[in-house]
Amino acid sequence: MFRTNLVAALAGGTLSLAAAAAAQQPAPSQPPAPPPASVQPNDYSDKANWLCWPGRDDACASDLTATVVNADGSTSIESFEADPKAPIDCFYVYPTVSHDPGMISTMKIEPEETNVVIQQAARLGAKCRLYAPMYRQFTLTALTYFMMHPTPPAAMASAPPRPQVGYNDVKDAWNYYLTHENHGRGVVLVGHSQGSGVLTQLIKNEIDGKPVQRQLISALLMGTALAVPDGKDVGGDFKSVPLCRSDSQLGCVIAYSSFRESTLPPPDNSRFGRPRREAPGMEAACVNPANLAGGPGPAESYFGTLIAVPDATKFAWLKNKTIDTPFVSVPGLLTAQCVHSGPFHVLAIHINADPASPRASDIPGDVVVGKVVLKDWGLHLIDANLFMGNLEDIVGAEAKAWEAAKR
């Protein structure tokens, strides 16, 4: 139950989550096997090491047909078509999903990786060519163990370091892509949770202030706490990559963590909505994909109905009717706005509930262990689903701005 509900969880949980998990199942007696001292790099010229590659029949070519459910109960079918001739590229790094037994995952493509790319990135294929490398990530197995065995502060010095294998893999994949596939094209970086953390490191080390920054169209860093100076758009984690404030702005970043408005402020133990390393004058970036300029805006959500968090696959979106398409869209149901709530800066999700409507007046997506909602995680599992339509529109507008700038 615990692992199922954490299909898209971040590698770096909270003690409350560890306690809840421990109540659900016995703690593993042995830590997961660490990576060997010397790890050979992957060969990213081998397309088997890519989860998605343009023109290939893979997860990014999946059926994304959606049922649109309106507030009055009327429905329509919305088809989807990728654009193989899109003028820009997207480079996607997936979140913590691997159930492999060791501390780092293998390079075998499992259903977990396939399912999450369908939920979080495949729809962007209408606006960009999609590249998604496999990488040897920090696993859910390791995450579970270390959350069930919190290290006392006095022993922190002897705690095993977080392996850098995953970051090194993504860096190698990025460099292969730049050398052999990019050809001067603009690129959007897309990540969630652990994927956003890896991309943040990649931008810091390989892009920020370097010539390749000219090709960065934007970075969509979902489910993370990117540090910026209070009230500022640039500084903090990145020296020269600002936050996005319009869909024609290039070289910027969209970062956020989403919470139900009704649960704010987040519990003190939440790791989302404030920088991981506390520093005076710093806050977590919050950019609202539903209104880049600021203020509230309608969330154009696409929720998975077949391969998503368990509650979503059983959720009754419409009274007396079953949704049999892979996705459902619910226009007008959700409004989003960045808010400061206590020490947190988060994207608050307001549900425009109408009990008289035949359409659902709620959404799935909470992290649930047993019957307990873990409020410190907010809506982390569906950070991407909440704004998939908005993000597709933004990437499309950025592609037009990129082409106009090149002309």
Side-chain angles (χ1 to χ4, degrees):
M1 180 71 173
F2 173 71
R3 285 184 178 178
T4 302
N5 279 323
L6 289 183
V7 159
L10 175 67
T14 63
L15 296 185
S16 66
L17 186 55
Q24 292 295 311
Q25 62 184 44
S29 59
Q30 297 295 326
S38 177
V39 179
Q40 294 299 311
N42 290 319
D43 177 9
Y44 283 101
S45 68
D46 183 354
K47 303 309 183 289
N49 288 330
W50 293 82
L51 179 59
C52 289
W53 189 268
R56 192 174 68 179
D57 186 14
D58 55 28
C60 287
S62 299
D63 180 10
L64 303 180
T65 304
T67 298
V68 180
V69 180
N70 299 302
D72 62 3
S74 62
T75 63
S76 60
I77 301 299
E78 180 184 278
S79 59
F80 175 86
E81 186 174 347
D83 181 4
K85 298 182 179 179
I88 63 171
D89 295 341
C90 287
F91 186 93
Y92 168 71
V93 183
Y94 51 87
T96 315
V97 295
S98 175
H99 291 168
D100 290 342
M103 188 180 292
I104 62 169
S105 64
T106 70
M107 289 293 289
K108 182 180 178 181
I109 297 176
E110 304 278 5
E112 291 81 14
E113 289 89 7
T114 297
N115 292 346
V116 77
V117 73
I118 294 171
Q119 296 294 316
Q120 295 190 343
R123 191 168 292 275
L124 299 179
K127 308 299 181 183
C128 59
R129 299 189 311 181
L130 274 165
Y131 295 84
M134 289 291 296
Y135 70 106
R136 289 167 288 190
Q137 69 169 209
F138 188 79
T139 62
L140 274 175
T141 306
L143 170 63
T144 303
Y145 177 84
F146 288 115
M147 285 164 47
M148 290 182 182
H149 297 80
T151 305
M156 286 298 290
S158 62
R162 179 69 53 82
Q164 291 293 303
V165 179
Y167 169 73
N168 291 335
D169 283 351
V170 171
K171 182 177 69 171
D172 289 345
W174 169 249
N175 286 331
Y176 178 84
Y177 157 78
L178 282 180
T179 302
H180 300 280
E181 288 291 314
N182 178 266
H183 304 301
R185 291 164 63 91
V187 59
V188 177
L189 300 177
V190 184
H192 179 250
S193 198
Q194 183 175 171
S196 290
V198 170
L199 286 176
T200 297
Q201 197 174 352
L202 185 77
I203 294 169
K204 283 183 180 180
N205 297 340
E206 305 294 325
I207 297 173
D208 194 0
K210 294 180 169 58
V212 72
Q213 185 175 349
R214 293 193 295 267
Q215 291 168 243
L216 178 66
I217 289 180
S218 66
L220 312 181
L221 304 180
M222 302 172 282
T224 193
L226 185 76
V228 293
D230 292 342
K232 304 294 184 181
D233 285 353
V234 66
D237 279 334
F238 301 147
K239 296 178 180 178
S240 60
V241 181
L243 304 184
C244 294
R245 294 307 178 192
S246 80
D247 60 11
S248 62
Q249 182 181 356
L250 300 177
C252 56
V253 60
I254 294 173
Y256 63 88
S257 292
S258 53
F259 283 77
R260 290 179 184 267
E261 182 183 68
S262 59
T263 66
L264 296 179
D268 286 342
N269 61 351
S270 178
R271 296 221 179 168
F272 305 104
R274 60 184 174 189
R276 293 298 175 90
R277 293 179 178 84
E278 292 189 16
M282 289 289 173
E283 66 179 4
C286 182
V287 178
N288 182 5
N291 186 349
L292 296 178
E300 299 174 14
S301 308
Y302 285 87
F303 295 100
T305 61
L306 303 178
I307 50 168
V309 291
D311 290 344
T313 63
K314 304 172 185 176
F315 195 77
W317 293 101
L318 188 60
K319 295 176 183 177
N320 303 318
K321 182 177 175 63
T322 300
I323 304 299
D324 54 10
T325 55
F327 285 88
V328 62
S329 171
V330 282
L333 181 60
L334 304 176
T335 302
Q337 182 173 7
C338 288
V339 300
H340 287 90
S341 185
F344 299 94
H345 192 203
V346 299
L347 193 46
I349 307 301
H350 174 78
I351 301 176
N352 302 305
D354 180 3
S357 171
R359 185 176 72 178
S361 290
D362 199 0
I363 57 171
D366 300 293
V367 175
V368 181
V369 175
K371 296 183 179 180
V372 178
V373 175
L374 304 185
K375 296 181 180 179
D376 49 316
W377 285 78
L379 292 172
H380 187 69
L381 295 179
I382 56 170
D383 281 320
N385 300 83
L386 286 166
F387 301 101
M388 210 63 246
N390 305 94
L391 295 172
E392 180 184 340
D393 290 342
I394 290 168
V395 172
E398 290 174 335
K400 292 179 181 178
W402 170 263
E403 289 192 291
K406 287 183 67 177
R407 287 196 294 269

